[in-house]
Amino acid sequence: MRQTIKAKHELRLYELKKAVNEFLEFTENLTLFQAINEKAQEMAQAVDELQQLLQQGLAATKLVKALSATEAATLLDEIVDADAVSELESYMLSAAEGIEDAEVTQFLTEAMDKVELKYNLLLEKAHAYNALLKG
């Protein structure tokens, strides 16, 4: 059975929202991850806007045009192109300078690896949605 255009958008946005929420939960209230958490919050708001637009009952052709024309879609496209993890890595490296405790340095490295893994999953879902929009 073929999925409708609306159903495809609903599924991709659901998957993206799930990845964003998991990332937000992981980085919530952690000072070193504040900047990247804020980017994820922006993504969550963008997904919410797109999901609301989906519920307006537009015809398929008008729906895709309306979704593509939103600031939310533009934001998702820009965030995918931005390299927020590299900025965070630079910040973490500067924060770790001067720490002589190998366990603390190891912890920061492991935390950064987990953030990067979760953020890459989030980006993968954003890429999939962007591809659907441009499809």
Side-chain angles (χ1 to χ4, degrees):
M1 183 170 108
R2 287 190 60 203
Q3 280 185 309
T4 65
I5 289 173
K6 181 180 177 185
K8 287 178 184 178
H9 281 269
E10 286 174 338
L11 177 62
R12 292 285 182 247
L13 285 172
Y14 169 79
E15 291 171 344
L16 176 55
K17 182 71 178 235
K18 184 178 177 196
V20 168
N21 285 338
E22 287 174 9
F23 186 82
L24 286 170
E25 185 178 305
F26 182 72
T27 59
E28 186 176 38
N29 298 323
L30 295 172
T31 306
L32 290 175
F33 301 144
Q34 182 178 353
I36 201 162
N37 180 279
E38 289 170 4
K39 287 286 183 204
Q41 288 176 23
E42 290 176 27
M43 289 182 82
Q45 290 172 344
V47 171
D48 288 343
E49 287 177 40
L50 293 167
Q51 287 176 324
Q52 288 173 1
L53 186 57
L54 276 175
Q55 301 312 313
Q56 291 183 5
L58 298 172
T61 54
K62 289 185 178 185
L63 178 64
V64 173
K65 284 181 183 177
L67 290 168
S68 297
T70 62
E71 286 184 34
T74 303
L75 175 76
L76 288 179
D77 202 31
E78 289 171 357
I79 285 179
V80 165
D81 291 337
D83 196 2
V85 170
S86 289
E87 291 174 25
L88 178 60
E89 282 176 323
S90 296
Y91 179 71
M92 292 285 279
L93 287 173
S94 68
E97 281 181 19
I99 296 176
E100 294 181 19
D101 188 332
E103 288 180 354
V104 172
T105 303
Q106 180 67 26
F107 171 75
L108 290 174
T109 301
E110 290 169 357
M112 190 60 226
D113 289 345
K114 285 192 176 210
V115 166
E116 189 170 5
L117 185 69
K118 288 188 175 291
Y119 195 74
N120 285 340
L121 175 62
L122 183 153
L123 289 181
E124 178 184 309
K125 299 300 181 185
H127 274 296
Y129 185 72
N130 289 340
L132 180 62
L133 268 180
K134 293 174 183 172

